[in-house]
């Protein structure tokens, strides 16, 4: 027995372009691409059961996204923000930590900061410091400067080895 008649969907040319763009976009999430396919198929006048069968999903999923699009248009297809704990480390704290890692030497006289020493100095957890450094691409143990050699290109080095081009064979 067929269900109630589904809501008809009329797409503007702009909405159709955006939905087709989501289908082609490599970085679009699979869920968003599926929703775009659902809406485009529904806009062609197909019933929910046919769209569900073609896409290998449930009729309830088709109904949900068809009604979501009908109510809120394109905004009805994107995920709502998820609930969760509020951030405990603010942007200012992250900026301060990164600046300290780049500009200041550790107080213990070490050659570079470790995540543990930075955590102790800032009052954050070691894992939080590690996540921030990873996100910012900081690697305190890698020196990113060149050191020029004081040796001349043809100077004989200790141990009797000759440098290239000094005339010895």
């Amino acid at each position: 027995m067929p269900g109630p008649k589904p809501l008809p969907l009329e797409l503007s040319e702009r909405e159709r372009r955006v939905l087709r763009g989501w289908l082609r976009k490599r970085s679009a999430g699979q869920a968003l691409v599926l929703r775009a396919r659902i809406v485009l198929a529904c806009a062609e006048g197909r019933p929910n059961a046919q769209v569900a069968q073609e896409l290998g999903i449930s009729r309830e999923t088709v109904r949900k996204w068809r009604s979501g699009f009908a109510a809120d248009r394109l905004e009805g297809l994107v995920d709502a923000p998820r609930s969760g704990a509020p951030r405990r480390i603010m942007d200012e704290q992250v900026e301060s930590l990164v600046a300290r890692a780049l500009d200041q030497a550790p107080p213990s006289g070490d050659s570079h900061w470790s995540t543990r020493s930075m955590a102790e100095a800032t009052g954050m957890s070691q894992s939080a410091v590690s996540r921030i450094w990873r996100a910012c691409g900081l690697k305190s143990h890698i020196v990113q400067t060149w050191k020029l050699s004081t040796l001349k290109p043809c100077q004989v080095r200790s141990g009797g080895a000759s440098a290239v081009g000094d005339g010895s064979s």
Side-chain angles (χ1 to χ4, degrees), residues 153-156 160-169:
C154 298
Q155 185 176 354
V156 177
S162 300
V164 177
D166 67 353
S168 62
S169 309

Side-chain angles (χ1 to χ4, degrees), residues 95-109:
E95 289 175 22
S96 171
L97 183 135
V98 170
R100 190 172 194 169
L102 295 174
D103 299 335
Q104 296 179 12
S108 60

Side-chain angles (χ1 to χ4, degrees), residues 24-163:
R24 288 189 304 272
K25 190 174 182 182
R26 290 179 181 247
S27 62
Q30 290 182 357
L32 188 61
V33 171
L34 176 64
R35 295 167 198 167
R37 284 193 176 118
I38 292 169
V39 171
L40 288 169
C42 291
E44 294 174 1
R46 296 186 227 165
N48 290 354
Q50 182 183 354
V51 173
Q53 185 177 10
E54 289 172 2
L55 297 177
I57 55 176
S58 70
R59 286 185 302 183
E60 179 60 26
T61 301
V62 175
R63 185 204 59 75
K64 174 183 178 180
W65 294 112
R66 179 192 289 258
S67 61
F69 182 81
D72 297 319
R73 308 311 290 177
L74 292 172
E75 290 79 25
L77 299 180
V78 294
D79 286 327
R82 306 267 176 159
S83 62
R87 289 182 63 182
R88 293 189 302 167
I89 301 173
M90 298 298 137
D91 290 339
E92 296 81 23
Q93 291 173 292
V94 172
E95 289 175 22
S96 171
L97 183 135
V98 170
R100 190 172 194 169
L102 295 174
D103 299 335
Q104 296 179 12
S108 60
D110 293 336
S111 61
H112 59 272
W113 286 100
S114 68
T115 54
R116 288 189 179 103
S117 63
M118 180 60 77
E120 188 177 316
T122 59
M124 293 184 194
S125 70
Q126 185 264 334
S127 57
V129 171
S130 180
R131 280 193 304 268
I132 293 168
W133 282 9
R134 198 173 317 118
C136 296
L138 294 178
K139 297 176 182 177
S140 67
H141 59 284
I142 296 177
V143 177
Q144 294 185 352
T145 60
W146 292 95
K147 295 181 181 174
L148 297 175
S149 174
T150 58
L151 293 174
K152 294 179 183 169
C154 298
Q155 185 176 354
V156 177
R157 299 186 182 178
S158 64
S162 300

